[in-house]
Amino acid sequence: MARHRFRVLVIALAGALSLSAVAPLPAGAEPDPQVVHRPPVDAPVVDAFRPPTTAWGAGNRGLTYDLAPGTAVRATADGEVVFAGQVGGTLHVTIRHADGLRTSYSFLDRIVVRRGRRVAGGDPIGAGGLGFHLGARVGDTYIDPAALFASVRIEVRLVPHIEPLPPTDDGLLRERLALSAIVRDRSILQRFGAWAVEQGSAAADALRAGVHLGASLDPRRAGAEAVAAVLQRVGEPCTPSETAVTVPDTAGRVALLVGGLGSSSTEAAIDDVDVVTLGYLDDDVVRFSYAGGRIPDPDGSIHPSLADMPANHYGPADTGADIEAQGHALAELVLGIAGARPGDRIDLYAHSLGGLVTRVALLELQHHAGALDDVGVVVTIGTPNRGADIATGVPPMGIADQLTLDTLGPLVGFEIDQGAPALRQLAETSALVRRLADEGVPDGVDFRTVGARGDLVVTADKAAVDGHPSVTLGLSGSTAHHRLPGDAATTRELQLALAGEPPGCRGIVDLVLDATVPEAVSWGENGVVAGFLAF
Protein backbone atom coordinates (compact mmCIF):
# COMPACT_ATOMS: atom_id res chain seq x y z
CA MET A 1 0.00 0.00 0.00
CA ALA A 2 2.74 2.44 1.01
CA ARG A 3 4.77 1.57 -2.10
CA HIS A 4 1.76 2.17 -4.34
CA ARG A 5 1.06 5.57 -2.74
CA PHE A 6 4.69 6.57 -3.15
CA ARG A 7 4.72 5.59 -6.83
CA VAL A 8 1.61 7.53 -7.76
CA LEU A 9 2.79 10.52 -5.73
CA VAL A 10 5.99 10.58 -7.78
CA ILE A 11 3.90 10.48 -10.96
CA ALA A 12 1.77 13.38 -9.70
CA LEU A 13 4.76 15.53 -8.81
CA ALA A 14 6.41 14.76 -12.13
CA GLY A 15 3.21 15.79 -13.85
CA ALA A 16 3.28 19.11 -12.01
CA LEU A 17 6.84 19.75 -13.10
CA SER A 18 5.96 18.99 -16.72
CA LEU A 19 3.60 22.01 -16.63
CA SER A 20 1.21 20.54 -19.18
CA ALA A 21 -0.41 23.43 -21.02
CA VAL A 22 -4.10 24.25 -21.01
CA ALA A 23 -5.55 26.50 -23.68
CA PRO A 24 -8.71 27.26 -25.64
CA LEU A 25 -9.09 25.74 -29.07
CA PRO A 26 -6.42 27.33 -31.34
CA ALA A 27 -7.54 29.46 -34.28
CA GLY A 28 -6.93 28.31 -37.85
CA ALA A 29 -8.78 26.64 -40.71
CA GLU A 30 -11.70 24.19 -40.68
CA PRO A 31 -11.19 20.71 -39.22
CA ASP A 32 -10.65 17.46 -41.04
CA PRO A 33 -14.14 16.66 -42.38
CA GLN A 34 -13.53 12.93 -41.85
CA VAL A 35 -13.59 13.29 -38.04
CA VAL A 36 -16.90 14.23 -36.42
CA HIS A 37 -17.05 14.39 -32.63
CA ARG A 38 -20.21 13.91 -30.62
CA PRO A 39 -20.78 14.15 -26.84
CA PRO A 40 -19.85 10.93 -25.00
CA VAL A 41 -23.00 10.98 -22.86
CA ASP A 42 -26.44 12.53 -22.90
CA ALA A 43 -26.19 14.42 -19.61
CA PRO A 44 -25.81 18.02 -18.40
CA VAL A 45 -22.37 19.57 -17.87
CA VAL A 46 -21.96 20.66 -14.24
CA ASP A 47 -18.48 22.16 -14.55
CA ALA A 48 -17.28 23.68 -17.82
CA PHE A 49 -13.76 24.11 -19.17
CA ARG A 50 -11.80 26.50 -16.94
CA PRO A 51 -8.08 26.56 -17.77
CA PRO A 52 -5.97 27.11 -14.63
CA THR A 53 -3.47 29.96 -14.66
CA THR A 54 -0.72 27.71 -13.29
CA ALA A 55 0.04 23.99 -13.38
CA TRP A 56 -1.11 23.59 -9.75
CA GLY A 57 -3.78 26.25 -9.90
CA ALA A 58 -7.51 25.76 -9.60
CA GLY A 59 -9.32 24.94 -12.82
CA ASN A 60 -10.95 22.24 -14.92
CA ARG A 61 -9.12 20.84 -17.94
CA GLY A 62 -12.30 19.62 -19.63
CA LEU A 63 -16.00 19.02 -18.98
CA THR A 64 -17.50 17.40 -15.88
CA TYR A 65 -20.91 15.78 -16.32
CA ASP A 66 -23.79 15.07 -13.94
CA LEU A 67 -23.99 11.37 -14.64
CA ALA A 68 -25.98 8.60 -12.98
CA PRO A 69 -23.84 5.65 -11.85
CA GLY A 70 -23.51 2.95 -14.49
CA THR A 71 -24.28 5.22 -17.47
CA ALA A 72 -22.60 4.04 -20.68
CA VAL A 73 -19.79 6.32 -21.89
CA ARG A 74 -19.14 6.32 -25.66
CA ALA A 75 -16.24 7.36 -27.88
CA THR A 76 -16.71 10.86 -29.29
CA ALA A 77 -15.36 9.76 -32.70
CA ASP A 78 -13.49 6.98 -34.50
CA GLY A 79 -10.03 6.29 -33.14
CA GLU A 80 -7.58 3.99 -31.40
CA VAL A 81 -7.43 3.33 -27.67
CA VAL A 82 -3.94 4.36 -26.54
CA PHE A 83 -4.56 4.09 -22.79
CA ALA A 84 -7.00 2.09 -20.70
CA GLY A 85 -6.29 1.70 -17.01
CA GLN A 86 -5.67 3.37 -13.68
CA VAL A 87 -4.07 6.69 -12.81
CA GLY A 88 -4.11 7.57 -9.15
CA GLY A 89 -6.45 4.72 -8.35
CA THR A 90 -9.13 5.93 -10.80
CA LEU A 91 -10.05 4.53 -14.23
CA HIS A 92 -9.31 6.37 -17.46
CA VAL A 93 -9.41 5.74 -21.22
CA THR A 94 -7.63 7.81 -23.88
CA ILE A 95 -8.48 7.62 -27.61
CA ARG A 96 -6.27 9.02 -30.38
CA HIS A 97 -8.22 10.27 -33.41
CA ALA A 98 -7.19 10.81 -37.02
CA ASP A 99 -7.36 14.60 -36.64
CA GLY A 100 -4.54 14.51 -34.06
CA LEU A 101 -6.81 14.97 -31.07
CA ARG A 102 -6.70 12.76 -28.00
CA THR A 103 -9.89 12.53 -25.97
CA SER A 104 -9.77 11.25 -22.40
CA TYR A 105 -12.61 9.69 -20.44
CA SER A 106 -11.86 9.93 -16.74
CA PHE A 107 -13.20 8.64 -13.41
CA LEU A 108 -15.02 5.73 -14.97
CA ASP A 109 -16.74 3.04 -12.94
CA ARG A 110 -15.52 0.36 -15.36
CA ILE A 111 -13.69 -0.02 -18.68
CA VAL A 112 -14.84 -2.28 -21.54
CA VAL A 113 -12.02 -1.63 -24.05
CA ARG A 114 -8.33 -2.39 -24.06
CA ARG A 115 -5.27 -0.59 -25.33
CA GLY A 116 -4.71 -0.98 -29.06
CA ARG A 117 -8.36 -1.52 -29.95
CA ARG A 118 -9.96 0.46 -32.80
CA VAL A 119 -13.33 2.01 -31.90
CA ALA A 120 -15.98 3.81 -33.91
CA GLY A 121 -17.72 6.99 -32.78
CA GLY A 122 -20.53 6.03 -30.42
CA ASP A 123 -18.98 2.72 -29.35
CA PRO A 124 -19.13 2.17 -25.58
CA ILE A 125 -15.72 2.40 -23.90
CA GLY A 126 -16.91 2.02 -20.30
CA ALA A 127 -19.42 3.23 -17.72
CA GLY A 128 -19.26 6.38 -15.64
CA GLY A 129 -20.92 8.00 -12.68
CA LEU A 130 -20.75 11.07 -10.49
CA GLY A 131 -17.80 13.23 -11.55
CA PHE A 132 -17.28 11.72 -15.03
CA HIS A 133 -14.85 13.95 -16.95
CA LEU A 134 -14.12 14.43 -20.67
CA GLY A 135 -10.83 15.96 -21.75
CA ALA A 136 -9.38 16.81 -25.15
CA ARG A 137 -5.72 17.46 -26.00
CA VAL A 138 -3.60 18.54 -28.92
CA GLY A 139 -0.21 17.18 -27.96
CA ASP A 140 0.17 18.18 -24.31
CA THR A 141 -2.24 21.11 -24.57
CA TYR A 142 -5.74 20.72 -23.17
CA ILE A 143 -8.50 22.40 -25.17
CA ASP A 144 -12.20 22.97 -24.57
CA PRO A 145 -14.06 19.77 -25.59
CA ALA A 146 -17.31 21.74 -25.97
CA ALA A 147 -15.88 23.35 -29.10
CA LEU A 148 -15.78 19.93 -30.76
CA PHE A 149 -19.56 19.62 -30.50
CA ALA A 150 -20.49 23.11 -31.68
CA SER A 151 -23.15 23.28 -34.37
CA VAL A 152 -21.25 26.03 -36.19
CA ARG A 153 -18.07 25.44 -38.17
CA ILE A 154 -14.98 25.52 -35.95
CA GLU A 155 -12.04 27.40 -37.36
CA VAL A 156 -9.21 25.08 -36.47
CA ARG A 157 -6.55 23.05 -38.24
CA LEU A 158 -5.30 20.06 -36.28
CA VAL A 159 -2.41 18.40 -38.04
CA PRO A 160 -2.80 14.59 -38.04
CA HIS A 161 -0.09 12.91 -36.06
CA ILE A 162 -0.17 9.14 -36.29
CA GLU A 163 2.39 7.32 -34.18
CA PRO A 164 2.83 3.67 -33.18
CA LEU A 165 1.76 2.66 -29.71
CA PRO A 166 4.60 2.69 -27.18
CA PRO A 167 5.90 -0.89 -26.90
CA THR A 168 6.20 -0.94 -23.09
CA ASP A 169 4.45 0.39 -20.01
CA ASP A 170 7.33 2.84 -19.54
CA GLY A 171 6.30 4.41 -22.84
CA LEU A 172 2.92 5.23 -21.33
CA LEU A 173 4.41 7.58 -18.76
CA ARG A 174 3.63 10.66 -20.86
CA GLU A 175 -0.01 9.66 -21.09
CA ARG A 176 -0.17 8.99 -17.36
CA LEU A 177 1.36 12.39 -16.62
CA ALA A 178 -1.17 14.14 -18.86
CA LEU A 179 -4.03 12.34 -17.14
CA SER A 180 -2.56 13.09 -13.70
CA ALA A 181 -3.26 16.78 -14.32
CA ILE A 182 -6.97 15.93 -14.62
CA VAL A 183 -6.73 13.78 -11.49
CA ARG A 184 -5.23 16.74 -9.61
CA ASP A 185 -8.05 18.99 -10.81
CA ARG A 186 -10.62 16.52 -9.60
CA SER A 187 -8.80 15.97 -6.34
CA ILE A 188 -8.95 19.62 -5.32
CA LEU A 189 -12.12 20.68 -7.09
CA GLN A 190 -14.55 18.24 -8.69
CA ARG A 191 -14.16 15.60 -5.97
CA PHE A 192 -15.11 18.19 -3.37
CA GLY A 193 -18.00 19.42 -5.47
CA ALA A 194 -19.37 15.91 -5.86
CA TRP A 195 -18.87 15.25 -2.17
CA ALA A 196 -20.71 18.49 -1.38
CA VAL A 197 -23.82 17.14 -3.07
CA GLU A 198 -23.76 14.15 -0.74
CA GLN A 199 -22.55 15.76 2.48
CA GLY A 200 -24.22 19.17 2.54
CA SER A 201 -22.94 22.35 4.19
CA ALA A 202 -19.85 20.82 5.77
CA ALA A 203 -18.50 20.28 2.27
CA ALA A 204 -18.13 24.03 1.72
CA ASP A 205 -15.09 24.04 4.01
CA ALA A 206 -13.61 21.12 2.09
CA LEU A 207 -14.10 22.85 -1.24
CA ARG A 208 -12.63 26.09 0.05
CA ALA A 209 -9.64 24.26 1.52
CA GLY A 210 -9.06 22.33 -1.69
CA VAL A 211 -9.03 25.46 -3.84
CA HIS A 212 -6.66 27.15 -1.38
CA LEU A 213 -4.41 24.10 -1.39
CA GLY A 214 -4.17 24.15 -5.17
CA ALA A 215 -3.34 27.87 -5.26
CA SER A 216 -0.70 27.51 -2.52
CA LEU A 217 1.27 25.07 -4.67
CA ASP A 218 2.22 27.79 -7.14
CA PRO A 219 5.98 28.28 -6.48
CA ARG A 220 5.83 31.83 -7.84
CA ARG A 221 3.32 32.76 -5.16
CA ALA A 222 5.54 31.29 -2.44
CA GLY A 223 8.53 33.21 -3.78
CA ALA A 224 6.63 36.50 -3.88
CA GLU A 225 5.43 36.05 -0.30
CA ALA A 226 8.97 35.30 0.88
CA VAL A 227 10.30 38.47 -0.74
CA ALA A 228 7.48 40.52 0.77
CA ALA A 229 8.24 39.07 4.22
CA VAL A 230 11.91 40.07 3.99
CA LEU A 231 11.08 43.62 2.90
CA GLN A 232 8.56 43.99 5.72
CA ARG A 233 10.96 42.79 8.42
CA VAL A 234 13.83 45.00 7.23
CA GLY A 235 11.95 48.15 8.19
CA GLU A 236 10.56 46.98 11.54
CA PRO A 237 11.99 48.26 14.86
CA CYS A 238 14.05 45.71 16.78
CA THR A 239 16.25 45.30 19.82
CA PRO A 240 19.97 44.53 19.16
CA SER A 241 21.22 41.26 20.63
CA GLU A 242 23.84 43.03 22.75
CA THR A 243 21.20 45.13 24.51
CA ALA A 244 20.63 44.05 28.11
CA VAL A 245 17.00 43.50 29.02
CA THR A 246 15.64 44.84 32.29
CA VAL A 247 12.49 42.97 33.20
CA PRO A 248 10.12 44.98 35.38
CA ASP A 249 9.09 43.68 38.77
CA THR A 250 6.51 40.92 38.20
CA ALA A 251 5.07 41.23 41.71
CA GLY A 252 1.34 41.65 41.29
CA ARG A 253 1.36 39.75 37.99
CA VAL A 254 -0.03 36.31 37.18
CA ALA A 255 1.39 34.13 34.39
CA LEU A 256 -1.47 32.24 32.70
CA LEU A 257 -0.19 29.43 30.46
CA VAL A 258 -2.25 27.82 27.68
CA GLY A 259 -1.12 24.50 26.18
CA GLY A 260 -1.61 23.33 22.62
CA LEU A 261 -3.23 20.51 20.67
CA GLY A 262 -2.32 17.12 22.11
CA SER A 263 -1.26 18.50 25.51
CA SER A 264 -2.62 17.26 28.82
CA SER A 265 -2.81 18.50 32.40
CA THR A 266 0.39 16.56 33.16
CA GLU A 267 2.38 17.22 29.99
CA ALA A 268 2.52 20.30 27.80
CA ALA A 269 5.30 22.16 25.98
CA ILE A 270 4.02 25.45 27.43
CA ASP A 271 5.22 24.24 30.85
CA ASP A 272 8.77 24.73 29.53
CA VAL A 273 8.36 28.52 29.53
CA ASP A 274 11.04 29.76 31.94
CA VAL A 275 8.74 31.55 34.36
CA VAL A 276 11.53 31.77 36.95
CA THR A 277 13.82 33.75 34.66
CA LEU A 278 10.84 35.91 33.75
CA GLY A 279 10.49 36.73 37.45
CA TYR A 280 7.19 35.09 38.37
CA LEU A 281 6.68 33.50 41.75
CA ASP A 282 5.78 29.80 41.61
CA ASP A 283 2.38 30.36 43.18
CA ASP A 284 1.53 33.05 40.62
CA VAL A 285 1.69 30.63 37.68
CA VAL A 286 -1.58 29.08 36.48
CA ARG A 287 -2.26 26.78 33.52
CA PHE A 288 -5.57 26.66 31.70
CA SER A 289 -7.44 23.34 31.66
CA TYR A 290 -9.21 22.23 28.48
CA ALA A 291 -11.73 20.59 30.80
CA GLY A 292 -12.57 23.98 32.34
CA GLY A 293 -10.88 26.24 34.86
CA ARG A 294 -7.23 25.60 35.72
CA ILE A 295 -5.26 22.39 36.03
CA PRO A 296 -4.82 21.10 39.59
CA ASP A 297 -1.56 22.23 41.18
CA PRO A 298 0.52 19.06 41.67
CA ASP A 299 2.40 20.25 44.77
CA GLY A 300 -0.25 22.48 46.32
CA SER A 301 1.81 25.64 45.86
CA ILE A 302 -0.93 27.67 44.19
CA HIS A 303 -1.46 31.15 45.62
CA PRO A 304 -4.28 31.18 48.20
CA SER A 305 -6.15 33.77 46.15
CA LEU A 306 -6.34 31.28 43.27
CA ALA A 307 -6.94 28.12 45.25
CA ASP A 308 -10.70 28.35 44.92
CA MET A 309 -10.60 28.54 41.12
CA PRO A 310 -12.20 25.46 39.49
CA ALA A 311 -9.49 22.84 38.82
CA ASN A 312 -9.79 19.93 36.39
CA HIS A 313 -7.47 17.41 34.80
CA TYR A 314 -7.67 17.06 31.00
CA GLY A 315 -6.28 14.72 28.37
CA PRO A 316 -5.10 15.15 24.76
CA ALA A 317 -8.58 14.37 23.40
CA ASP A 318 -10.01 17.39 25.25
CA THR A 319 -7.79 19.73 23.22
CA GLY A 320 -9.63 18.71 20.05
CA ALA A 321 -12.89 20.29 21.21
CA ASP A 322 -14.39 23.40 19.64
CA ILE A 323 -11.91 26.30 19.88
CA GLU A 324 -14.66 28.89 20.25
CA ALA A 325 -16.00 27.05 23.30
CA GLN A 326 -12.50 26.73 24.76
CA GLY A 327 -11.95 30.45 24.21
CA HIS A 328 -15.11 31.12 26.21
CA ALA A 329 -13.80 28.90 29.02
CA LEU A 330 -10.45 30.70 29.02
CA ALA A 331 -12.19 34.08 29.18
CA GLU A 332 -14.12 32.83 32.22
CA LEU A 333 -10.84 31.82 33.86
CA VAL A 334 -9.31 35.25 33.18
CA LEU A 335 -12.37 36.94 34.68
CA GLY A 336 -12.15 34.66 37.70
CA ILE A 337 -8.48 35.42 38.27
CA ALA A 338 -9.11 39.15 37.85
CA GLY A 339 -11.89 38.95 40.43
CA ALA A 340 -9.64 37.09 42.87
CA ARG A 341 -6.66 39.37 42.25
CA PRO A 342 -8.06 42.90 41.82
CA GLY A 343 -5.47 45.33 40.52
CA ASP A 344 -3.05 42.62 39.36
CA ARG A 345 -2.13 42.06 35.70
CA ILE A 346 -2.62 38.73 33.93
CA ASP A 347 0.03 37.85 31.34
CA LEU A 348 -0.93 35.14 28.86
CA TYR A 349 1.58 32.81 27.19
CA ALA A 350 0.07 30.34 24.75
CA HIS A 351 1.55 27.60 22.62
CA SER A 352 0.28 26.26 19.30
CA LEU A 353 -3.53 25.85 19.24
CA GLY A 354 -3.61 27.54 22.65
CA GLY A 355 -2.83 30.82 20.93
CA LEU A 356 -6.08 30.64 18.96
CA VAL A 357 -7.98 29.80 22.15
CA THR A 358 -6.36 32.88 23.69
CA ARG A 359 -7.31 35.13 20.77
CA VAL A 360 -10.93 33.98 20.98
CA ALA A 361 -10.85 34.74 24.71
CA LEU A 362 -9.53 38.26 24.04
CA LEU A 363 -12.37 38.93 21.62
CA GLU A 364 -14.86 37.83 24.26
CA LEU A 365 -13.21 39.80 27.08
CA GLN A 366 -13.63 43.04 25.14
CA HIS A 367 -17.36 42.70 25.76
CA HIS A 368 -16.82 42.72 29.53
CA ALA A 369 -16.32 46.25 30.81
CA GLY A 370 -12.75 46.79 31.97
CA ALA A 371 -11.75 43.14 31.52
CA LEU A 372 -8.96 43.88 29.04
CA ASP A 373 -7.48 46.39 31.49
CA ASP A 374 -6.52 43.41 33.64
CA VAL A 375 -4.63 41.75 30.76
CA GLY A 376 -0.89 42.39 30.55
CA VAL A 377 1.32 41.02 27.77
CA VAL A 378 -0.01 38.32 25.46
CA VAL A 379 2.44 36.17 23.49
CA THR A 380 1.50 33.30 21.19
CA ILE A 381 4.30 30.82 20.56
CA GLY A 382 4.24 28.61 17.47
CA THR A 383 0.55 29.40 16.98
CA PRO A 384 -1.12 28.93 13.59
CA ASN A 385 -2.66 32.42 13.63
CA ARG A 386 -3.12 32.11 9.86
CA GLY A 387 -3.99 28.43 10.00
CA ALA A 388 -1.83 25.34 9.63
CA ASP A 389 -0.89 23.68 6.32
CA ILE A 390 -1.43 20.13 7.57
CA ALA A 391 -4.80 21.07 9.06
CA THR A 392 -5.89 22.66 5.77
CA GLY A 393 -5.77 19.20 4.24
CA VAL A 394 -8.08 17.74 6.88
CA PRO A 395 -11.48 18.96 5.57
CA PRO A 396 -10.94 17.42 2.12
CA MET A 397 -9.40 14.36 3.76
CA GLY A 398 -12.81 13.79 5.29
CA ILE A 399 -13.58 12.14 1.97
CA ALA A 400 -10.41 10.09 2.18
CA ASP A 401 -9.67 7.79 5.08
CA GLN A 402 -8.17 7.71 8.55
CA LEU A 403 -5.22 5.75 7.15
CA THR A 404 -4.05 8.87 5.35
CA LEU A 405 -4.28 10.90 8.54
CA ASP A 406 -2.47 8.21 10.51
CA THR A 407 0.34 8.42 7.96
CA LEU A 408 0.60 12.18 8.41
CA GLY A 409 0.37 11.98 12.21
CA PRO A 410 4.10 11.42 12.83
CA LEU A 411 4.86 14.58 10.83
CA VAL A 412 3.00 16.73 13.34
CA GLY A 413 3.87 14.78 16.48
CA PHE A 414 0.39 13.70 17.58
CA GLU A 415 -2.42 11.43 16.48
CA ILE A 416 -4.78 13.12 14.03
CA ASP A 417 -8.48 12.52 14.56
CA GLN A 418 -10.33 13.81 11.53
CA GLY A 419 -13.47 14.15 13.65
CA ALA A 420 -11.91 16.65 16.09
CA PRO A 421 -13.61 20.06 15.65
CA ALA A 422 -10.41 21.93 16.57
CA LEU A 423 -8.43 20.24 13.83
CA ARG A 424 -10.81 21.51 11.17
CA GLN A 425 -10.84 24.97 12.75
CA LEU A 426 -7.05 25.09 12.38
CA ALA A 427 -7.36 25.01 8.58
CA GLU A 428 -6.17 28.16 6.83
CA THR A 429 -9.61 28.55 5.25
CA SER A 430 -11.73 27.79 8.31
CA ALA A 431 -14.42 30.19 9.50
CA LEU A 432 -12.52 30.66 12.76
CA VAL A 433 -9.24 31.64 11.10
CA ARG A 434 -11.12 33.99 8.79
CA ARG A 435 -12.90 35.54 11.77
CA LEU A 436 -9.66 36.09 13.67
CA ALA A 437 -8.11 37.67 10.58
CA ASP A 438 -11.08 40.00 10.15
CA GLU A 439 -11.43 41.03 13.81
CA GLY A 440 -7.73 41.02 14.69
CA VAL A 441 -6.61 41.68 18.27
CA PRO A 442 -8.63 44.08 20.44
CA ASP A 443 -7.20 47.59 20.72
CA GLY A 444 -4.94 48.19 23.68
CA VAL A 445 -3.72 44.60 24.07
CA ASP A 446 0.09 44.26 24.18
CA PHE A 447 0.23 41.33 21.75
CA ARG A 448 3.13 39.71 19.89
CA THR A 449 4.06 36.37 18.30
CA VAL A 450 7.05 34.01 18.22
CA GLY A 451 7.65 31.40 15.53
CA ALA A 452 10.37 28.91 14.60
CA ARG A 453 12.05 28.98 11.20
CA GLY A 454 12.00 25.22 10.67
CA ASP A 455 8.77 24.39 12.52
CA LEU A 456 7.16 21.51 10.61
CA VAL A 457 3.87 21.73 12.50
CA VAL A 458 3.19 25.47 12.28
CA THR A 459 5.36 27.20 9.69
CA ALA A 460 6.66 30.56 10.89
CA ASP A 461 4.86 32.48 8.15
CA LYS A 462 1.56 31.29 9.63
CA ALA A 463 2.47 32.38 13.18
CA ALA A 464 2.51 36.16 12.61
CA VAL A 465 -0.48 38.50 13.07
CA ASP A 466 -0.69 41.60 10.92
CA GLY A 467 -0.07 44.84 12.78
CA HIS A 468 1.66 43.26 15.78
CA PRO A 469 5.34 42.58 16.60
CA SER A 470 6.57 39.15 15.58
CA VAL A 471 9.87 37.34 15.49
CA THR A 472 11.06 34.14 13.82
CA LEU A 473 13.73 32.21 15.71
CA GLY A 474 16.25 29.84 14.13
CA LEU A 475 14.97 26.54 15.53
CA SER A 476 14.52 23.74 12.98
CA GLY A 477 13.78 20.07 12.87
CA SER A 478 11.00 17.69 13.75
CA THR A 479 10.99 18.77 17.42
CA ALA A 480 11.26 22.54 16.84
CA HIS A 481 7.57 23.09 17.49
CA HIS A 482 7.71 21.45 20.92
CA ARG A 483 11.10 22.93 21.89
CA LEU A 484 10.13 26.50 21.06
CA PRO A 485 8.43 27.53 24.36
CA GLY A 486 11.45 26.55 26.47
CA ASP A 487 14.21 27.75 24.13
CA ALA A 488 16.57 30.40 25.51
CA ALA A 489 15.89 32.65 22.52
CA THR A 490 12.17 32.48 23.28
CA THR A 491 12.83 33.39 26.90
CA ARG A 492 14.66 36.53 25.76
CA GLU A 493 11.74 37.46 23.51
CA LEU A 494 9.36 37.09 26.44
CA GLN A 495 11.64 39.28 28.54
CA LEU A 496 11.56 41.91 25.78
CA ALA A 497 7.76 41.69 25.75
CA LEU A 498 7.56 42.25 29.51
CA ALA A 499 9.99 45.16 29.22
CA GLY A 500 7.95 46.71 26.42
CA GLU A 501 10.87 46.51 23.98
CA PRO A 502 10.67 45.51 20.27
CA PRO A 503 11.56 41.92 19.29
CA GLY A 504 15.19 41.00 18.84
CA CYS A 505 17.03 42.07 15.68
CA ARG A 506 17.82 39.54 12.94
CA GLY A 507 20.69 39.82 10.44
CA ILE A 508 19.93 40.00 6.72
CA VAL A 509 20.93 36.36 6.20
CA ASP A 510 18.63 35.26 9.01
CA LEU A 511 15.84 37.44 7.62
CA VAL A 512 16.14 35.76 4.23
CA LEU A 513 16.20 32.29 5.77
CA ASP A 514 13.34 33.18 8.11
CA ALA A 515 11.26 34.08 5.06
CA THR A 516 12.26 31.39 2.59
CA VAL A 517 12.55 28.27 4.77
CA PRO A 518 8.96 28.44 6.10
CA GLU A 519 7.64 29.02 2.56
CA ALA A 520 9.59 25.99 1.33
CA VAL A 521 8.32 23.84 4.22
CA SER A 522 4.76 25.01 3.59
CA TRP A 523 5.03 24.28 -0.14
CA GLY A 524 6.42 20.80 0.55
CA GLU A 525 3.72 19.95 3.10
CA ASN A 526 0.99 21.13 0.73
CA GLY A 527 2.51 18.96 -1.99
CA VAL A 528 2.42 15.91 0.27
CA VAL A 529 -1.21 16.58 1.22
CA ALA A 530 -2.16 17.13 -2.42
CA GLY A 531 -0.48 13.85 -3.31
CA PHE A 532 -2.49 11.96 -0.71
CA LEU A 533 -5.69 13.61 -1.89
CA ALA A 534 -5.01 12.89 -5.55
CA PHE A 535 -4.14 9.27 -4.99
Side-chain angles (χ1 to χ4, degrees):
M1 178 66 175
R3 181 176 299 177
H4 171 69
R5 285 188 178 273
F6 176 76
R7 181 167 177 260
V8 295
L9 179 57
V10 169
I11 291 176
L13 294 177
L17 296 176
S18 70
L19 300 179
S20 296
V22 184
L25 203 60
E30 60 188 72
D32 186 331
Q34 301 300 315
V35 180
V36 178
H37 291 271
R38 294 183 175 84
V41 293
D42 182 15
V45 172
V46 294
D47 193 5
F49 181 70
R50 293 177 291 102
T53 57
T54 67
W56 282 101
N60 185 12
R61 294 169 170 84
L63 304 176
T64 303
Y65 290 85
D66 182 10
L67 208 61
T71 301
V73 175
R74 303 180 184 279
T76 63
D78 298 354
E80 182 180 10
V81 177
V82 295
F83 182 87
Q86 289 193 20
V87 175
T90 54
L91 297 176
H92 305 256
V93 169
T94 301
I95 298 175
R96 184 179 62 211
H97 306 280
D99 56 6
L101 272 175
R102 291 182 183 228
T103 52
S104 55
Y105 311 78
S106 298
F107 314 119
L108 299 169
D109 291 340
R110 66 177 183 272
I111 295 173
V112 297
V113 294
R114 56 179 174 80
R115 182 168 172 255
R117 175 178 169 179
R118 299 288 305 181
V119 295
D123 284 353
I125 55 91
L130 190 64
F132 166 68
H133 181 279
L134 174 70
R137 303 195 320 273
V138 180
D140 290 330
T141 302
Y142 281 94
I143 63 174
D144 186 355
L148 303 177
F149 315 134
S151 58
V152 298
R153 177 170 293 180
I154 308 168
E155 295 186 355
V156 60
R157 171 66 69 184
L158 301 175
V159 179
H161 179 61
I162 304 301
E163 59 191 60
L165 288 177
T168 66
D169 285 343
D170 290 339
L172 295 175
L173 178 60
R174 182 177 179 181
E175 189 64 38
R176 290 181 179 274
L177 295 180
L179 291 170
S180 72
I182 295 175
V183 173
R184 291 197 309 274
D185 279 347
R186 186 200 186 216
S187 295
I188 60 175
L189 292 172
Q190 279 78 27
R191 184 187 295 179
F192 303 149
W195 184 60
V197 174
E198 300 176 353
Q199 301 296 326
S201 60
D205 285 342
L207 180 59
R208 188 181 294 110
V211 172
H212 176 87
L213 180 63
S216 68
L217 286 167
D218 184 350
R220 293 172 298 181
R221 172 180 171 178
E225 290 181 349
V227 171
V230 173
L231 295 177
Q232 177 182 342
R233 293 296 175 86
V234 167
E236 291 179 343
C238 63
T239 302
S241 59
E242 62 273 14
T243 300
V245 184
T246 301
V247 178
D249 185 4
T250 54
R253 301 181 78 106
V254 174
L256 177 52
L257 310 180
V258 186
L261 186 66
S263 66
S264 70
S265 53
T266 58
E267 184 177 357
I270 195 65
D271 286 337
D272 295 334
V273 169
D274 192 347
V275 291
V276 174
T277 298
L278 295 179
Y280 296 99
L281 299 176
D282 286 345
D283 59 0
D284 285 338
V285 179
V286 181
R287 181 144 73 82
F288 170 67
S289 171
Y290 280 86
R294 62 175 176 86
I295 66 169
D297 186 55
D299 53 13
S301 63
I302 194 72
H303 193 279
S305 63
L306 304 175
D308 292 334
M309 304 297 306
N312 296 286
H313 286 289
Y314 76 92
D318 295 311
T319 64
D322 179 75
I323 295 175
E324 299 266 8
Q326 296 290 7
H328 174 80
L330 178 58
E332 290 293 327
L333 179 59
V334 172
L335 292 171
I337 295 174
R341 302 279 293 266
D344 286 356
R345 303 298 294 274
I346 304 169
D347 301 319
L348 287 99
Y349 304 104
H351 179 234
S352 194
L353 172 143
L356 298 186
V357 173
T358 299
R359 292 187 60 191
V360 171
L362 293 176
L363 292 177
E364 178 160 331
L365 288 172
Q366 69 181 339
H367 299 299
H368 295 264
L372 289 178
D373 295 337
D374 297 315
V375 174
V377 300
V378 180
V379 185
T380 64
I381 306 168
T383 290
N385 285 299
R386 298 177 180 175
D389 296 297
I390 293 296
T392 303
V394 171
M397 281 180 185
I399 62 173
D401 50 37
Q402 187 64 40
L403 175 61
T404 300
L405 298 175
D406 291 343
T407 304
L408 291 174
L411 294 178
V412 297
F414 50 81
E415 181 179 348
I416 300 176
D417 177 7
Q418 65 179 350
L423 195 58
R424 293 177 180 274
Q425 291 172 309
L426 288 170
E428 298 162 88
T429 53
S430 73
L432 173 63
V433 171
R434 297 199 309 274
R435 176 199 170 195
L436 294 178
D438 291 340
E439 299 189 31
V441 177
D443 293 338
V445 176
D446 186 357
F447 181 91
R448 63 181 66 195
T449 67
V450 178
R453 177 193 296 167
D455 191 334
L456 302 182
V457 180
V458 177
T459 55
D461 58 312
K462 305 300 191 303
V465 174
D466 291 339
H468 294 274
S470 64
V471 65
T472 299
L473 304 180
L475 276 71
S476 295
S478 59
T479 61
H481 184 70
H482 303 285
R483 289 187 288 119
L484 185 58
D487 190 78
T490 299
T491 301
R492 176 175 168 83
E493 292 301 326
L494 301 184
Q495 289 176 312
L496 290 172
L498 287 169
E501 299 294 337
C505 294
R506 306 283 286 167
I508 187 61
V509 173
D510 280 326
L511 286 177
V512 171
L513 292 174
D514 292 345
T516 56
V517 171
E519 288 290 348
V521 172
S522 178
W523 192 89
E525 289 181 352
N526 286 331
V528 170
V529 172
F532 274 107
L533 288 175
F535 303 105

